[in-house]
Every structure is written in structure tokens, then in C-alpha cells.
Amino acid sequence: MNQIIPDEALLDQFEAYHSGRMNTEDQNRFANRLATEPGFNESYHGFLTSREAIEIKISDDLKAKMKKWQKQSLPGGLSEAGRIRRLPWSAWAAAAALLFLLTFGFIQYRSVQSYPLDAIDEYQPVQALTLRNGDQDSGLNGIIRDYTSEAATLDQTISALLKIRPETPGNEYQKAQSYLAKLYLRQGLCADAAAAYLRSGELEGARDEAEIGAVLCLIREGHTREEINGALKPILDHPNHSYALAAREIDQKINGFWWRLFK
Amino acid sequence: MAKETDEELVNMIKSGGPAREKALHRIYTDSNIREKIIAMITNNNGNQQDGEDMVQEAIIVMDKNIREGRYRTEGNLQSYLFAIGKYLWMNQLRKKKPMLKGSFSDLEMTGDPDEPDHFLLDEERKMKLQAILSRLGNRCQEILSLWQLSFSMEEIAAQLKLNDASTARKAKYDCQQQLIKLIQKSSLTKSDLT
């Protein structure tokens, strides 16, 4: 069959016939050609098919535009909003419970992570003595006051405390060692802290401080619960221990659910 | 801004060009039409997304029918769109779940005035036409689709940054001939035509 590739004039005729813009006479002539000339007929159907193909492109373009309009005119898309509105109450309840659990869990996680330093601050605080009118401030108290008021750094404070010699009159040296032990704890220098606690040994309650200091050191260094429990035991076994209450609190903390989960 | 009447919307679509796009935007963003179709789909084995898809498909069919003069002025656009959406969904359900054939009698359309078979293009044929189109090139596709949407040659020239209307006209003829040649070379013979 001889297919005709339509020229511009024939394409105009096809358009006119297809859109019904031909007069009756031309329309009849055109219909006659369609019926009698297979090549012409094939060519016209090629034209119709080309319109059909372009219609696919038009549909695809319109679909893409509607997706764009959906985003622009219907923020979030009606479908999204619809889906949210149609969530059953149980899904909302589950989502709320999950959110609560996550928030609570996160708070507990932060609490577990910050506990070593928080516990040192709570159970082995570094505080200067408050002077009353007429009291003479000691050199040691001045050093500690500078530290707590942040006039001196931790390292500067340790250096100053180390200058207080054993031969210093009174118990300044032992008190200095006690402070040193607490500062070493904050630095995570457990061996130094233990030695300093030992040197403060003649002070009242120094043994108790050394024992709680050992517990705090193990926590600070991230030791296992079993090791920390081992250090807590001598304190828990003595109800009159100065740090018995602190030991019970620490015991509850490190043997609790959140500590087990996050450590 | 005053809301256009159905008749005005139909005329805007028929006139093509930017007016058509404005009318289609107006119809698409009409929450009444959307919600009605989506509710019908969600009440008949579909979900929200099926509903959204069906709204779009129905508008595409409506647009084509109006442009090709198959839309009749009786009734209103909303019920026309709803009828198309219903018909399309019914067909889709039948394809997906043939066993449900008898279970959605409430969806059956009675005496549809718009020859619903026109709504659907055979998938295989559509794929063949898409393959042909892809060989035509984007610029030609753009020119021919603007032409088919009744854009004037001046508008086509402006939109595609061509020198003038006569350049656009020449380009349109070239593209049309190119497409017809591709169709004639393809396996889409006359016997494939509906």
C-alpha cells in the first residue's frame, strides 16, 4: 500500500475535516477519498493517531500540574490531612505513649550520663568556710574560696594546695589533702585521689570520705556495677557510716533499670 | 474573585490555552468535588490515595471530553466528574479484584450519556504511542500539544521562544509530519485503531 506523507495543505485538510470546519461539499469529497484511496485513508488515520499520541502527553502534563497544585493549593495535600484525621484513637494513644516514653527515656539517659560528676558534686562538694565577723581567714580557705568563686582554675587550685606542706602548723595539711582528693576526683585521677584521702587520714571522718570517694571514683571511671557494688558494700554494711544514706541512693541508682539499660 | 459558572468553566476549557489551565485549576481545587469522589472511593474498597488518583484521572477524562465536544450541557460539572470517577473506579476494581464483580452494584452506572468506553485507552496501545512519542523529541511534543490545546501560533512562538508565528507554524507542520511518519513506520496500523 502506498502511504502518503501529508504535506502542509493535506494536514490542513485533515484538521478541517476532523474539527468539522469543512463545507458539506468538501466533506463529501473527503469522505469519498477515504473510502476509495487506501493510502489516503491510512494517512488520515496516521493523523488521527498522532492526535491520540499527543493526547497522552497532554494527559501526563495535566497530571503533573495537578500534583503541583495539590502541593501548592492544598498544603500537605488533602490526602495527607485526610489520613491524619482518620487515624484511629488507638494509633494516637500509641504515638503519645511512644513520645512520652522516648522523652522520659532521653531524660533518664542524660541523667545516667551526667551522674558521675553530679554524684561527686553532691557527695563530695568543695566548699569554703563562711567567715563570721572578726574571723581570720586562713590561706587554705582563701584558696578554696578563689576556686569556688572561679577566680582560680582547678589546676591553679591544685598547685596552691600542693604547696601546703605537712609541717604547716595545725591540720591545714590534712584539710588541704582532703580538698585535693575531691579535686582529683573531679579530674578522674582516682589513684591520686586515693593517696590524698590517705594523707588526710588524721582528720575526723576521713576514712568515711575515702570510702565514698572510692565508690565515686569507680563510677567516674565507668567501672562495672559489680565493682561499684563491691566498694559500696562496706558502707551499706555500717548504718552509722557518714555516707550510709548516700550509699543507699547510689546503690538504687546503679542497680536501677535505666542504669542497666544505658551503661 | 467571583466563581465561574459551569458553563464558563466549560467554555474556558474549550477555548484552550491559559484559560483552560485556569479552569482546570479551579475544578481541581474545588473541595466539594474532591471530597465527594474520595468519599465514594473510600466507601468502595479504596483508600484516600486511590481517591486522590481517581479525582485526577476523572479531570483528565473530563478535560479531553470537553475539548473533543463530547460533554453535554445537561447536569452539572460536579455530577459529570463524579460519574466519570465512579466509572473509572469500577473498572479499576474489576481489573484488580474480579471476584468483587457483583459486590458494588451501588456503583453501577445507568444509561451513561457519554459513552464511557471513550474514557479508557488500551494499555498496550498507550505504551506503543508513548514509545513513538519518546522518539519525537521534547520540543516537537511541546509544540504539538500546545497546538492541540488550541494555543495560537503567536502564543506557541512566545512560549517556546521562537522568532514569530510563521516559524511556529512551520515547526508545527514539521513535527506533525515527523510524528505521522513514526506512526506509519510503527506497528500501529489502521487495524489497531478504535
Side-chain angles (χ1 to χ4, degrees), chain A residues 51-89:
Chain A
R51 288 188 65 90
E52 196 183 340
I54 291 303
E55 201 57 50
I56 292 175
K57 153 106 176 117
I58 291 170
S59 297
D60 290 346
D61 287 350
L62 178 55
K63 202 176 275 187
K65 272 191 188 121
M66 284 191 279
K67 291 208 184 303
K68 203 171 135 194
W69 294 339
Q70 188 179 4
K71 283 181 190 161
Q72 288 172 347
S73 313
L74 313 160
L78 188 66
S79 60
E80 294 302 317
R83 268 196 284 276
I84 291 166
R85 277 201 302 272
R86 282 167 179 76
L87 272 180
W89 69 268

Side-chain angles (χ1 to χ4, degrees), chain A residues 167-229:
Chain A
E167 53 274 16
T168 310
N171 57 5
E172 289 285 281
Y173 173 74
Q174 284 79 8
K175 282 183 184 171
Q177 290 303 314
S178 173
Y179 280 125
L180 265 177
K182 292 171 182 174
L183 296 178
Y184 284 140
L185 266 187
R186 281 157 177 76
Q187 288 189 313
L189 301 171
C190 286
D192 292 338
Y197 275 123
L198 203 62
R199 286 193 290 270
S200 70
E202 288 173 18
L203 288 178
E204 190 186 342
R207 183 191 164 86
D208 288 359
E209 290 223 331
E211 284 177 346
I212 196 70
V215 171
L216 294 171
C217 247
L218 292 176
I219 296 172
R220 177 84 168 83
E221 286 187 329
H223 284 250
T224 63
R225 276 190 312 113
E226 287 71 24
E227 288 172 309
I228 301 168
N229 281 331

Side-chain angles (χ1 to χ4, degrees), chain A residues 69-142:
Chain A
W69 294 339
Q70 188 179 4
K71 283 181 190 161
Q72 288 172 347
S73 313
L74 313 160
L78 188 66
S79 60
E80 294 302 317
R83 268 196 284 276
I84 291 166
R85 277 201 302 272
R86 282 167 179 76
L87 272 180
W89 69 268
S90 53
W92 282 110
L98 183 66
L99 186 67
F100 173 77
L101 205 65
L102 285 173
T103 309
F104 187 67
F106 180 70
I107 292 168
Q108 293 301 324
Y109 172 78
R110 294 289 300 270
S111 159
V112 166
Q113 296 308 314
S114 65
Y115 186 69
L117 287 176
D118 291 346
I120 290 170
D121 281 341
E122 187 172 351
Y123 302 123
Q124 289 287 273
V126 177
Q127 288 166 330
L129 296 175
T130 307
L131 298 177
R132 285 169 297 188
N133 281 345
D135 281 355
Q136 178 116 27
D137 199 4
S138 68
L140 176 61
N141 210 40

Side-chain angles (χ1 to χ4, degrees), chain A residues 6 12 51-52 55 63, chain B residues 57 67 125 148 173 177:
Chain A
D12 285 342
R51 288 188 65 90
E52 196 183 340
E55 201 57 50
K63 202 176 275 187
Chain B
E57 293 297 332
R67 282 187 290 110
R125 181 175 174 80
Q148 204 149 307
Y173 282 127
Q177 282 178 330

Side-chain angles (χ1 to χ4, degrees), chain B residues 12-168:
Chain B
M12 284 162 81
I13 293 173
K14 274 185 184 165
S15 68
R20 166 186 167 265
E21 194 167 318
K22 190 181 167 195
L24 291 173
H25 180 264
R26 179 79 77 198
I27 294 166
Y28 181 71
T29 50
D30 183 327
S31 58
N32 283 341
I33 299 176
R34 297 169 62 82
E35 282 169 14
K36 211 176 159 196
I37 294 178
I38 290 169
M40 181 265 294
I41 304 290
T42 51
N43 290 332
N44 287 281
N45 303 305
N47 58 31
Q48 186 81 11
Q49 191 54 52
D50 294 328
E52 292 285 353
D53 293 345
M54 234 16 78
V55 169
Q56 295 187 358
E57 293 297 332
I59 289 177
I60 287 169
V61 171
M62 177 208 68
D63 167 54
K64 188 177 176 218
N65 284 356
I66 290 175
R67 282 187 290 110
E68 292 182 352
R70 279 205 293 268
Y71 172 74
R72 298 178 190 180
T73 48
E74 299 99 40
N76 60 39
L77 266 184
Q78 188 167 331
S79 51
Y80 182 68
L81 259 181
F82 184 78
I84 296 172
K86 202 165 161 184
Y87 179 83
L88 292 175
W89 180 240
M90 202 166 70
N91 260 283
Q92 196 160 312
L93 271 188
R94 280 189 178 135
K95 275 185 202 161
K96 277 185 188 169
K97 300 175 181 174
M99 71 290 290
L100 284 176
K101 198 163 182 173
S103 70
F104 44 90
S105 56
D106 58 317
L107 279 180
E108 295 293 343
M109 295 178 70
T110 49
D112 179 74
D114 294 297
E115 301 173 55
D117 286 347
H118 281 291
F119 295 168
L120 304 169
L121 184 59
D122 172 61
E123 272 307 309
E124 191 186 349
R125 181 175 174 80
K126 189 176 173 184
M127 280 167 68
K128 282 182 187 171
L129 289 173
Q130 276 171 329
I132 291 169
L133 266 186
S134 67
R135 292 172 62 195
L136 183 65
N138 289 337
R139 196 163 181 78
C140 271
Q141 286 183 36
E142 201 59 43
I143 291 172
L144 292 179
S145 61
L146 290 174
W147 169 249
Q148 204 149 307
L149 288 172
S150 308
F151 278 74
S152 69
M153 283 303 169
E154 286 76 14
E155 285 169 331
I156 294 175
Q159 196 144 331
L160 298 179
K161 296 185 173 60
L162 300 172
N163 287 343
D164 49 29
S166 69
T167 313

